[in-house]
Amino acid sequence: MAPMTTTGEEMHALVERVYPLCRSITGDGVRATLDIVGEYIPLDVHEVPTGTQVLDWTVPQEWNIRDAYIADGTGRRVVDFAESSLHVLGYSVPVSATMPLSELRGHLHTLPDQPSWVPYRTSYYKPEWGFCLAQDTLDAMPDGEYEVRIDSTLADGHLTYAEHVVPGQVADEVIVSCHTCHPALANDNMAGVAVATFLARQLAEQTPYYTYRFIFAPGTIGAITWLARNAERVARVKHGLVLACAGDPGSLTYKQSRRGDAEIDRVLRHVLAASERPHRINEFTPYGYDERQYCSPGFNLGVGSLTRTPYAGYPEYHTSADNLDFVSPEAMADTLAVCREAFAVLDRNRQYVNLSPYGEPQLGRRGLYDALGGRSDTKQAQMAMLWVLNLSDGEHDLLDVAERSGLPFDTVADAADALHEAGLIKT
């Protein structure tokens, strides 16, 4: 496996490539983003037509934009879509007009408290048009006539999402989901897309126990579309993780699933605590990213959300300050490492039944103690065997054993492997 420093730089380079593209919940910007991700991992791209009923929603018209600007009386573009795709209200209907600043102001969005930043705003489901700009820019615009142009189209088309599958030893699935709809926002969520991409690449270097399905889809409507189109597969989804805000300088935050005690919740709590990383564990709320779709009561999947600083928890959120300088290779590498550690535990966690539960079986004559010779953690490994035997009652899994014994999970899992091979426990 490539060193984390190198991988972090590669992830940052991917973010740099896709960052400028104008993405939305539909359109060519999403396709262009998936084309780039497809250079790193093979993708199965799905196109869902406008008007398709997906649960309680309908796939909207497709939005594309070629140019947009506000020009003053000299023709100078004081706001220019070519400089940043944040400058246009997402899903703006086309407009071509000349109007006074007094009329234009009703279509302008700024951040007075952060006058040099440009906000990110959208109007997906209500026909509207508008521009986003720095308050400093607006303050410098004198009264007068301005040319306003948004060269966009809203027309029947498709919603685009993609999947990548890493085959496992069993058909049961772990889903890893990230949203692909935000333009020119590095942390939210191109860093999440990059971490998911490289996580998929690294998992493909082995044969994991579970099958891992990566979902790259626009927020809300994309996850809803995937759920609507995969009703027969949902029963196979045993665990899941939504990745977002994966590259900022904050410490890691895990938001638990609606269940709160799903295996993925237990695994992330254990891994983060055992790693001694600064972190937070948050309770589930039905607001945030697409975990709220996977955890809606009809599905109630065991899907949590891993971020660094969570949804709306940093000043740069949904502004032009969420740029390439805001995300770092080191932070993305750390997020990726936690995902790898968590999935390594998830893949080895099992419930066992002790086949010799009456008294302690004789381990020495089975060569189990001899097999531990030379290990630096021989005493820990011996204790792990005794703990696994004692708690292999069909009601406790290996994560329970690690938590109760205080032993490292890998040591417990190694002990279980040895006991299973010796015929002392079974799944």
Side-chain angles (χ1 to χ4, degrees):
M1 188 170 66
M4 275 297 172
T5 52
T6 302
T7 304
E9 291 164 359
E10 290 175 330
M11 287 189 288
H12 197 274
L14 172 55
V15 173
E16 193 170 354
R17 289 185 67 189
V18 296
Y19 171 77
L21 299 176
C22 183
R23 283 169 295 274
S24 189
I25 55 173
T26 62
D28 291 335
V30 175
R31 295 186 186 96
T33 301
L34 295 176
D35 284 345
I36 293 172
V37 173
E39 297 175 21
Y40 293 77
I41 55 174
L43 293 177
D44 187 7
V45 178
H46 304 271
E47 297 277 7
V48 185
T50 296
T52 302
Q53 188 72 25
V54 286
L55 305 181
D56 194 47
W57 295 59
T58 303
V59 173
Q61 289 189 311
E62 183 176 323
W63 182 68
N64 286 293
I65 181 167
R66 285 155 293 280
D67 193 18
Y69 59 87
I70 301 172
D72 63 18
T74 69
R76 182 179 67 91
R77 295 189 177 191
V78 293
V79 178
D80 192 352
F81 169 78
E83 292 180 357
S84 171
S85 52
L86 292 182
H87 276 312
V88 173
L89 177 79
Y91 253 65
S92 279
V93 298
V95 61
S96 181
T98 300
M99 63 184 69
L101 180 60
S102 57
E103 181 181 346
L104 178 58
R105 281 182 182 275
H107 296 275
L108 302 182
H109 305 270
T110 65
L111 295 168
D113 292 341
Q114 296 286 355
S116 65
W117 295 357
V118 176
Y120 167 56
R121 298 288 185 269
T122 63
S123 184
Y124 295 141
Y125 302 106
K126 178 185 176 183
E128 183 58 270
W129 66 267
F131 288 86
C132 300
L133 64 159
Q135 181 67 44
D136 288 343
T137 301
L138 178 57
D139 290 344
M141 292 170 62
D143 289 334
E145 296 288 310
Y146 288 86
E147 181 189 358
V148 178
R149 178 153 173 79
I150 297 177
D151 182 11
S152 64
T153 54
L154 266 170
D156 287 354
H158 297 82
L159 178 147
T160 309
Y161 72 91
E163 296 176 285
H164 172 82
V165 176
V166 179
Q169 300 168 38
V170 297
D172 289 345
E173 293 188 359
V174 179
I175 59 172
V176 179
S177 182
C178 54
H179 59 275
T180 56
C181 49
H182 287 178
L185 299 175
N187 195 44
D188 181 25
N189 186 38
M190 289 303 101
V193 169
V195 169
T197 300
F198 279 78
L199 177 60
R201 287 179 66 170
Q202 292 185 0
L203 286 172
E205 295 171 358
Q206 60 197 63
T207 304
Y209 178 73
Y210 289 107
T211 292
Y212 285 81
R213 182 176 299 275
F214 289 79
I215 302 168
F216 300 87
T220 305
I221 185 68
I224 286 171
T225 299
W226 186 88
L227 287 163
R229 288 165 55 88
N230 290 274
E232 79 292 342
R233 180 174 283 120
V234 166
R236 291 189 219 158
V237 176
K238 304 304 178 186
H239 320 283
L241 196 61
V242 170
L243 281 176
C245 300
D248 69 79
S251 57
L252 284 156
T253 299
Y254 176 69
K255 175 183 171 182
Q256 299 185 122
S257 72
R258 178 178 181 268
R259 300 179 194 173
D261 62 350
E263 192 171 343
I264 191 72
D265 301 328
R266 297 171 54 229
V267 166
L268 262 297
R269 289 196 300 259
H270 173 82
V271 165
L272 287 168
S275 73
E276 299 185 346
R277 289 176 172 89
H279 68 278
R280 287 162 292 183
I281 304 294
N282 289 346
E283 296 294 325
F284 174 80
T285 63
Y287 192 68
Y289 293 112
D290 284 328
E291 68 280 353
R292 69 190 196 272
Q293 310 307 333
Y294 302 114
C295 292
S296 56
F299 295 109
N300 197 26
L301 298 175
V303 176
S305 174
L306 184 66
T307 63
R308 301 194 73 82
T309 307
Y311 180 93
Y314 50 97
E316 297 84 356
Y317 177 79
H318 278 196
T319 77
S320 57
D322 182 355
N323 55 32
L324 294 170
D325 293 332
F326 184 62
V327 298
S328 72
E330 294 77 17
M332 285 188 282
D334 186 50
T335 306
L336 176 62
V338 168
C339 291
R340 288 298 309 272
E341 292 164 24
F343 290 161
V345 171
L346 197 63
D347 261 14
R348 298 186 76 186
N349 194 33
R350 305 279 187 283
Q351 280 189 352
Y352 288 94
V353 174
N354 187 339
L355 298 176
S356 183
Y358 299 101
E360 181 182 303
Q362 191 174 8
L363 302 180
R365 71 178 174 84
R366 292 177 169 86
L368 289 170
Y369 283 145
D370 294 341
L372 301 175
R375 286 182 63 134
S376 60
D377 63 343
T378 298
K379 184 169 179 57
Q380 272 194 339
Q382 289 175 349
M383 285 302 301
M385 284 191 182
L386 297 177
W387 272 109
V388 170
L389 285 167
N390 191 269
L391 291 180
S392 289
D393 52 7
E395 296 180 5
H396 296 87
D397 58 22
L398 297 184
L399 191 54
D400 288 323
V401 177
E403 293 280 347
R404 187 161 175 181
S405 67
L407 296 167
F409 179 86
D410 283 347
T411 302
V412 169
D414 289 345
D417 288 344
L419 291 167
H420 186 264
E421 189 174 338
L424 285 171
I425 59 175
K426 69 173 184 178
T427 53

